[in-house]
Amino acid sequence: NASADAISYLNTQYPEALREAGKQGMLPLHYAARSNASMEVVYILTNAYPSAVLAKDAAGRLPMHYATRNATIGLDVVKFFAEFHPDALLTADHNGWLCLHYAARFSSNSKLLQFLAKIYPRALIEHDKEGWLPIHHAALGAPCLEGVKVLVEEHPLVVLAKAGFTNKFCHDLAPAGSSKQALLHALY
């Protein structure tokens, strides 16, 4: 994890480096969002190259997608991206995943899910390319049953939707080894 001082130094000595894509088309801001960088680092990188907020990597992911799938990243980073460029919330990757799909599948932060659902409620009913809603990802990943509850509270009818080509309801998607009882309780 790069320090803010190192990023500031790099920005003054070699600012072009902050605009150069690395592996899979990722910019330094993608890496920072993926690796739980501090808010200060994210702020420096964003101010040095504001277009990076909407820059897609080879999989069509924005830095915001990485931030929302990172279970330990602070909500302040996601809020910063959302305020800096609200279109980031509306942008799907090549699989049709929005930020809420990522957060639902991978994050254990129910406050993050609540924030995303409230700021862009339409995402609750947006299907990815496999026909899955964020609630389906939350049920399958189940990193946070509180997060499942948040999604259901925001849009109760999502539990009635089947998950794309699987033809399964949310409660049928509980991962192996998890408590289906707990998932059922969170859903209903």
Side-chain angles (χ1 to χ4, degrees), residues 53-54 60-70 77-79 81-82 85-93 96-107 109 112-117 119-120 122-124 126 128 133-134 137-138 151:
V53 173
L54 288 181
R61 295 183 193 117
L62 304 175
M64 178 81 136
H65 290 122
Y66 286 103
T68 55
R69 74 175 279 165
N70 186 335
V77 171
V78 174
K79 285 182 176 179
F81 284 145
H85 217 308
D87 286 349
L89 294 166
L90 315 174
T91 304
D93 70 5
W97 287 35
L98 298 168
C99 294
L100 187 58
H101 289 90
Y102 278 104
R105 182 68 165 266
F106 299 109
S107 180
N109 186 338
L112 172 62
L113 288 167
Q114 188 171 41
F115 170 76
L116 292 170
I119 198 164
Y120 183 46
R122 178 148 175 81
L124 289 160
E126 290 284 338
D128 64 17
L133 298 171
H137 289 286
L151 297 177

Side-chain angles (χ1 to χ4, degrees), residues 142-164:
C144 173
L145 290 177
E146 275 303 309
V148 171
K149 287 181 186 177
V150 165
L151 297 177
V152 173
E153 287 170 6
E154 292 297 322
H155 200 303
L157 295 178
V158 294
V159 298
L160 300 176
K162 291 188 177 180

Side-chain angles (χ1 to χ4, degrees), residues 7-86:
I7 299 298
S8 290
Y9 179 78
L10 183 62
N11 188 35
T12 58
Q13 298 300 311
Y14 185 48
E16 301 82 35
L18 304 181
R19 293 174 172 78
E20 290 183 20
K23 287 175 40 177
Q24 292 97 27
M26 293 173 62
L27 295 168
L29 189 58
H30 288 91
Y31 288 108
R34 184 177 80 175
S35 65
N36 198 26
S38 70
M39 184 64 226
E40 187 178 6
V41 167
V42 169
Y43 186 75
I44 292 167
L45 291 170
T46 303
N47 283 325
Y49 186 38
S51 297
V53 173
L54 288 181
K56 293 183 175 188
D57 67 8
R61 295 183 193 117
L62 304 175
M64 178 81 136
H65 290 122
Y66 286 103
T68 55
R69 74 175 279 165
N70 186 335
T72 57
I73 202 156
L75 183 56
D76 54 341
V77 171
V78 174
K79 285 182 176 179
F80 173 74
F81 284 145
E83 290 170 9
F84 190 84
H85 217 308

Side-chain angles (χ1 to χ4, degrees), residues 166-177:
T166 68
N167 209 26
K168 293 182 178 180
F169 290 103
C170 297
H171 60 266
D172 296 322
L173 297 171

